[in-house]
């Protein structure tokens, strides 16, 4: 392993560092600025904009407020500086590695961002006449064809907004198909290694959820699943690669057994980044699978922003896909198939998933990503992602417990646990220590099948040098946790804020500025 900063030289912190014992008047540490709440900066008694004094109860024909608005009165520069200073305390993918397992937090190429901001895509409105948005519709149609090709499926619903929305879409297609053949069923089987949204979505769709255990090597217990199949089972929701970072080797056998019992197979495609260009889920017997465009295909992930979760469908389920969808005409133009023009050609659609077609910005980024990589580039994406994850796994398994390290190569992510830590030390302590090292913590305590889980997904966009730095930090923290370093229990020490009482924050959150209560 390469040494990090082998020369040992680095610029020193200024004299205002905490270690020097010097306390500044402002609370700032050089350019690491202390930031008050916006209510502590502004005054509720003043407004950031000056108005002429009114001499009546009505201003421009409108009644005046009976009470103050209770907003802080800041000038424009004060407001801009406040939010800019807060933004400098955020961690971002453009600052460093985001090791969140299961999230695929990778670099978003600036080419894709530029294309998404082109006026013809960024400025379209969903209620424009179809003939004025042919370019946008062709993007949707071409992206749909790529998704069908990459997955080996028959059709695709482009309207679901994200992963769980796509899961619901797939289950509604399954329900519609079962009802169409007069065979409504009540049960969805969900393995232990599935994403947490899977059982929640199945329950939301009205199904009874039953758990299928995992084998000792972290994969679906095929015998247990097969034994449970019967006339009441509508299908199985399986995540592949699964949340333990492992490929389900029995996927084809699982699909064959479910189909023989009259059910359908839903695959959670959130981890498609590990197999894109290498495995076609349709060849494994999958009937429906959502694809998180905001993971695999370059769209920003997380932070509450827009997502997109198209659902690819088998030939058996494609007729039940939701409206609207695109249809290419003989003259090359693209039409939207809606309720009013579906006619007799599409009588089985279960309805709609959203008011309009989808997220245009997500579609343009994804298609730009696919076209710029090409088929060979997409294959390299998955190969590099798996290589990086295995490099992490093998570089850390001697200091961190890897519960499935002997189960074969991992896929997109490496899974560790806190087994072996000194008494009283846990995953949370190591995660907080990562903040002091300058990294966002990995996903913790998930999947639930592993006690004290630490789930790390490096993605394909991280360099070996970057991974070596992260590995060095993880090794140091693991050794401190195993040795029982008391400073780790109170980490982070160098962040803008110290460790919070997360239990108290969850049970007794303070959501309102006290002076407004």
């Amino acid at each position: 392993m390469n040494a990090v900063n082998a020369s040992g030289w680095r610029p020193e912190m200024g004299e205002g560092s905490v270690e020097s014992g010097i306390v500044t008047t402002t609370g700032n540490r050089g350019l690491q600025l202390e930031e008050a709440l916006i209510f502590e900066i502004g005054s509720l008694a003043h407004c950031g904009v000056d108005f002429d004094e009114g001499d009546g109860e009505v201003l421009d024909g409108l009644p005046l407020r009976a009470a103050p608005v209770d907003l802080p009165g800041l000038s424009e520069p004060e407001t801009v500086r406040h939010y800019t200073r807060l933004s400098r305390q955020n961690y971002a993918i453009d600052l460093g590695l985001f090791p969140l397992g299961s999230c695929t937090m990778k670099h978003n190429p600036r080419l894709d961002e530029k294309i998404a901001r082109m006026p013809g895509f960024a400025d379209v409105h969903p209620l424009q006449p179809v003939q004025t948005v042919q370019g946008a519709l062709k993007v949707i149609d071409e992206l749909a064809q790529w998704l069908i090709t990459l997955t080996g499926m028959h059709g695709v619903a482009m309207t679901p907004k994200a992963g769980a929305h796509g899961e619901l879409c797939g289950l509604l297609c399954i329900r519609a198909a079962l009802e169409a053949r007069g065979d409504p069923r009540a049960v969805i089987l969900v393995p232990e290694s599935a994403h947490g949204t899977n059982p929640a979505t199945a329950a939301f769709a009205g199904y009874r959820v039953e758990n299928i255990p995992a084998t000792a090597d972290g994969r679906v217990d095929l015998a247990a699943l097969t034994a449970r199949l019967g006339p009441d089972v509508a299908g199985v929701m399986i995540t592949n690669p699964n949340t333990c970072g492992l490929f389900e080797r029995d996927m084809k056998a699982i699909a064959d057994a479910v189909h023989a019992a009259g059910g359908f197979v839903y695959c959670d495609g959130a981890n498609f980044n590990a197999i894109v260009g290498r495995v076609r889920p349709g060849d494994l017997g999958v009937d429906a699978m959502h694809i998180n465009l905001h993971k695999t295909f370059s769209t920003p992930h997380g932070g509450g922003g827009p997502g997109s979760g198209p659902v690819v469908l088998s030939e058996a389920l494609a007729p039940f896909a939701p409206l609207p969808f695109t249809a290419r005409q003989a003259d090359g133009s693209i039409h939207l198939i809606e309720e009013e023009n579906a006619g007799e050609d599409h009588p089985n659609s279960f309805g709609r998933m959203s008011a309009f077609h989808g997220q245009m910005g997500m579609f343009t980024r994804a298609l730009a990503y696919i076209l710029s990589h090409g088929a060979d580039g997409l294959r390299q994406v998955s190969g590099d992602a798996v290589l990086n994850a295995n490099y992490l796994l093998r570089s850390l398994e001697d200091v961190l417990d890897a519960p499935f390290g002997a189960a074969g190569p991992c896929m997109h992510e490496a899974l560790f646990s806190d087994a072996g830590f000194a008494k009283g030390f846990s995953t949370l302590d190591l995660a907080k220590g990562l903040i002091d090292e300058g990294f966002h913590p990995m996903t913790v305590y998930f999947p639930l099948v592993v006690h004290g889980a630490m789930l790390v997904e490096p993605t394909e966009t991280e360099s070996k040098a970057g991974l070596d730095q992260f590995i060095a930090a993880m090794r140091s923290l693991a050794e401190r946790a195993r040795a029982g370093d008391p400073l780790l229990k109170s980490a982070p020490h160098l962040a803008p804020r110290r460790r919070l009482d997360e239990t108290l924050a969850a049970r007794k959150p303070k959501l309102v500025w006290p002076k407004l209560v």
Side-chain angles (χ1 to χ4, degrees):
M1 184 185 304
N2 295 336
V4 179
N5 192 11
S7 69
W9 180 89
R10 63 169 56 196
E12 296 181 355
M13 292 287 289
E15 292 183 353
S17 67
V18 169
E19 291 78 8
S20 69
I22 295 177
V23 178
T24 61
T25 303
T26 59
N28 299 335
R29 298 172 56 194
L31 296 180
Q32 297 183 36
L33 305 181
E34 174 68 13
E35 187 61 19
L37 297 176
I38 194 168
F39 287 100
E40 296 172 318
I41 301 172
S43 169
L44 295 178
H46 300 88
C47 178
V49 180
D50 293 329
F51 292 103
D52 293 334
E53 291 291 336
D55 55 1
E57 293 298 317
V58 176
L59 181 64
D60 290 337
L62 298 175
L64 296 176
R65 290 183 179 273
V69 181
D70 286 336
L71 294 176
L74 276 68
S75 66
E76 181 173 305
E78 287 175 319
T79 305
V80 170
R81 289 169 183 165
H82 170 70
Y83 288 106
T84 301
R85 290 192 294 261
L86 285 178
S87 72
R88 292 177 60 186
Q89 296 181 7
N90 286 339
Y91 194 84
I93 194 66
D94 289 340
L95 291 174
L97 167 67
F98 236 120
L100 285 168
S102 192
C103 288
T104 316
M105 298 288 285
K106 61 185 181 180
H107 170 72
N108 300 301
R110 292 304 179 263
L111 170 65
D112 307 350
E113 298 297 313
K114 181 177 181 180
I115 291 177
R117 287 164 173 75
M118 293 175 65
F121 299 132
D123 297 343
V124 296
H125 191 280
L127 293 180
Q128 282 184 235
V130 170
Q131 62 269 23
T132 69
V133 290
Q134 282 294 300
L137 293 180
K138 287 180 179 179
V139 164
I140 298 173
D141 188 73
E142 185 169 351
L143 175 59
Q145 296 307 311
W146 267 99
L147 297 180
I148 291 171
T149 300
L150 287 169
T151 58
M153 300 290 266
H154 187 78
V156 60
M158 297 294 290
T159 54
K161 296 295 191 290
H165 204 215
E167 292 170 19
L168 181 61
C169 174
L171 287 186
L172 292 178
C173 286
I174 290 173
R175 165 166 283 174
L178 290 170
E179 291 178 349
R181 73 185 194 201
D183 184 22
R185 299 184 174 203
V187 177
I188 291 289
L189 305 180
V190 180
E192 287 181 348
S193 57
H195 275 158
T197 52
N198 291 178
T201 301
F204 183 81
Y207 287 102
R208 188 171 76 253
V209 179
E210 293 188 17
N211 179 64
I212 298 297
T215 59
D217 69 353
R219 295 179 172 90
V220 175
D221 188 327
L222 177 59
L225 184 145
T226 304
R228 177 56 190 87
L229 292 173
D232 61 337
V233 175
V236 59
M237 296 185 78
I238 184 168
T239 303
N240 194 25
N242 68 31
T243 312
C244 297
L246 302 171
F247 188 79
E248 294 287 354
R249 294 178 299 218
D250 294 327
M251 189 69 200
K252 186 65 169 64
I254 290 171
D256 289 345
V258 173
H259 291 155
F264 292 93
V265 177
Y266 185 92
C267 181
D268 186 313
N271 300 331
F272 191 50
N273 197 59
I275 60 174
V276 63
R278 295 175 182 269
V279 177
R280 300 196 313 172
D283 297 336
L284 302 178
V286 171
D287 291 296
M289 183 181 85
H290 76 264
I291 302 172
N292 297 77
L293 298 186
H294 54 285
K295 286 188 176 188
T296 304
F297 299 115
S298 157
T299 302
H301 177 281
S308 185
V311 178
V312 287
L313 300 165
S314 66
E315 187 173 2
L317 291 186
F320 303 95
L323 300 171
F325 54 85
T326 58
R328 189 178 292 268
Q329 306 301 302
D331 60 0
S333 64
I334 306 293
H335 283 197
L336 275 180
I337 304 300
E338 305 267 13
E339 285 87 347
E340 61 270 18
N341 61 358
E344 297 181 357
D345 295 332
H346 309 283
N348 296 318
S349 171
F350 71 74
R352 301 179 75 92
M353 289 297 295
S354 55
F356 300 109
H357 201 93
Q359 304 283 8
M360 196 65 228
M362 311 302 103
F363 296 151
T364 51
R365 287 184 181 91
L367 184 59
Y369 184 91
I370 290 172
L371 294 179
S372 61
H373 279 75
D376 57 338
L378 293 176
R379 182 178 176 85
Q380 184 176 347
V381 162
S382 57
D384 289 347
V386 171
L387 176 64
N388 282 351
N390 280 276
Y391 182 57
L392 280 181
L393 177 64
R394 301 310 171 193
S395 297
L396 293 171
E397 62 181 348
D398 62 320
V399 293
L400 282 173
D401 174 61
F404 303 117
C410 66
M411 298 299 290
H412 54 298
E413 58 197 359
L415 179 59
F416 304 99
S417 82
D418 59 4
F421 286 6
K423 184 177 181 180
F425 285 76
S426 68
T427 288
L428 184 66
D429 300 318
L430 188 145
K432 296 298 185 182
L434 262 183
I435 298 174
D436 279 340
E437 295 286 349
F439 291 102
H440 191 287
M442 74 293 286
T443 297
V444 297
Y445 300 110
F446 180 77
L448 299 178
V449 294
V450 172
H451 181 274
M454 290 175 273
L455 196 58
V456 185
E457 182 177 2
T459 79
E460 74 283 356
T461 56
E462 298 304 324
S463 67
K464 182 176 182 297
L467 292 181
D468 284 340
Q469 186 180 50
F470 178 75
I471 289 167
M474 287 287 286
R475 292 186 66 86
S476 172
L477 291 166
E479 290 166 355
R480 290 171 62 191
R482 292 165 72 93
D485 181 356
L487 287 177
L488 202 56
K489 291 297 295 180
S490 54
H493 300 277
L494 304 177
R497 290 293 180 269
R498 303 296 178 257
R499 186 184 298 203
L500 302 177
D501 185 333
E502 297 185 10
T503 301
L504 184 64
R507 294 180 178 176
K508 296 182 179 180
K510 295 182 179 180
L511 305 178
V512 179
W513 176 239
K515 294 183 180 180
L516 297 181
V517 178

